[in-house]
Amino acid sequence: MRRKYIGVSFQRTMYACFIGYVVQAVVNNFVPLLFVMFQDSYQIPLSKITLLITVNFIFQLVIDMLSAGFVDRIGYKAAIMIAHICAAVGLVSLTILPEVFSDPFIGILLAVMIYAVGGGLLEVLVSPIMEACPTPNKEKAMSLLHSFYCWGHMGVVLLSTAFFSAFGISNWKILALIWALIPAVNCVLFFTAPIYSLQEEGERGLSVKELLSKGIFWVMVLLMVCAGASEQAVSQWASTFAEQGLKVSKTVGDLAGPMAFAFMMGLSRLFYGKYGDRINLDGFMSGSAVLCVVSYLCISFAPLPVLSLAGCAVCGFSVGILWPGTFSKAAAAIKGGGTAMFAFFALAGDLGCSAGPTLAGFVSSHFGNNLRTGILAAIIFPLLLIVGMVLSRKVKQ
């Protein structure tokens, strides 16, 4: 009877983790759909709109850094519930705070700060909570888990677009409240689900000093930075490729570019999540890294724009396993890494997500807004990723 109860509870924890990544997709991708509306309705200039993205990113980085010190003190359950509460309150605040302040931008900025705290905590917490679950094949479970961010991203764009088409973007506040229900409900689900420990009973997790002294840790940090950079350097520019190459509207460009990228990335993670017990993780990651380099070359040198766009989709598939695969490799190679390890990896991944598109954009601008040249410069990240995969087989400590 006890075994059955544990099985049911364990599934509940997994489902809560899956929804947790959908929540992160909502907080990261819903508000950008409203940027034009914010400009028109509240007369907020583009310079301030850009600041919303920066603040969201900085707050998540700060939470990544701080979480190593406080999550273990308050416990995973309390921390994951705080994450969902912040996400829900932030989304609800979007509908209230702009009307409270004389400058609506201040209200929007405060709402972004609130849900950014939730987004940062989710990035640090969900993966180790899943890793600690007694799953028979942790690599499969981790890959399946991360696919839910992709499906969440697609769902946010598709469902929001459908809502705006049916009811008008002027009713965006209703949709914000609907999206806020997801973290609110999942908070209750996490409250009723057991949270397992990453350490066995009686074991002590590694201190930050011990963690930083391990060579394999720095190899995994390299993989995380390069995984984030390889993904976002293409993802952030996929819509522009679609618009310029296919001569379509921004709406169609978003569907043909970022949506295709997210779908292929989710497909890769779903594939490994289903068949991972039959596939060697190192081999799949190494092959994906090589495919990523090929996709960058296709984007940069393909004679037809539509082939460059196809390269973007292939890139989505190639980077799919890299982020969750690195988590799984690190958890297996660094025993007792605990919260500090996952927090540092979240920080490394976020730094990569910033470095990739920044380098591509800077080089593109330097060469007369030539995106192909910018993407070609960013090929350094998937190349370094291949180096990291080789080192991960050689460096043990």
Side-chain angles (χ1 to χ4, degrees), residues 66-106:
L66 296 179
S67 58
F70 71 81
V71 167
D72 284 331
R73 295 180 185 177
I74 67 175
Y76 270 66
K77 175 160 285 193
I80 196 68
M81 291 181 66
I82 290 171
H84 283 79
I85 290 170
C86 287
V89 171
L91 289 168
V92 172
S93 298
L94 274 174
T95 68
I96 301 172
L97 294 184
E99 318 303 333
V100 172
F101 294 89
S102 56
D103 183 356
F105 175 75
I106 296 176

Side-chain angles (χ1 to χ4, degrees), residues 354-365:
S354 175
T358 298
L359 176 62
F362 177 80
V363 174
S364 297
S365 177

Side-chain angles (χ1 to χ4, degrees), residues 60-72 76 120-121 123-125 127-128 198 206-214 216-226 228 323 326-327 330 334 336-353:
Q60 294 202 34
L61 278 180
V62 170
I63 293 299
D64 290 346
M65 290 187 288
L66 296 179
S67 58
F70 71 81
V71 167
D72 284 331
Y76 270 66
L121 279 173
E123 188 163 22
V124 172
L125 295 170
S127 289
L198 283 168
L206 295 175
S207 67
V208 172
K209 183 178 180 180
E210 290 171 328
L211 186 64
L212 298 181
S213 68
K214 291 183 173 292
I216 189 65
F217 167 77
W218 292 105
V219 173
M220 295 301 164
V221 166
L222 173 65
L223 289 178
M224 285 301 300
V225 171
C226 292
W323 190 297
T326 301
F327 272 128
I334 307 173
T339 306
M341 181 181 74
F342 282 94
F344 278 122
F345 286 167
L347 176 61
D350 280 342
L351 287 174
C353 287

Side-chain angles (χ1 to χ4, degrees), residues 55 72 75 233 250 255:
V55 167
D72 284 331
K250 177 168 173 56
L255 296 178

Side-chain angles (χ1 to χ4, degrees), residues 231-245:
E231 174 186 323
Q232 291 300 317
V234 171
S235 177
Q236 291 293 311
W237 297 111
S239 179
T240 304
F241 269 118
E243 289 180 67
Q244 294 180 350

Side-chain angles (χ1 to χ4, degrees), residues 17-37:
C17 287
F18 293 156
I19 300 172
Y21 263 126
V22 173
V23 172
Q24 191 181 26
V26 171
V27 299
N28 282 344
N29 298 292
F30 173 59
V31 168
L33 299 175
L34 304 174
F35 283 169
V36 174
M37 189 281 304

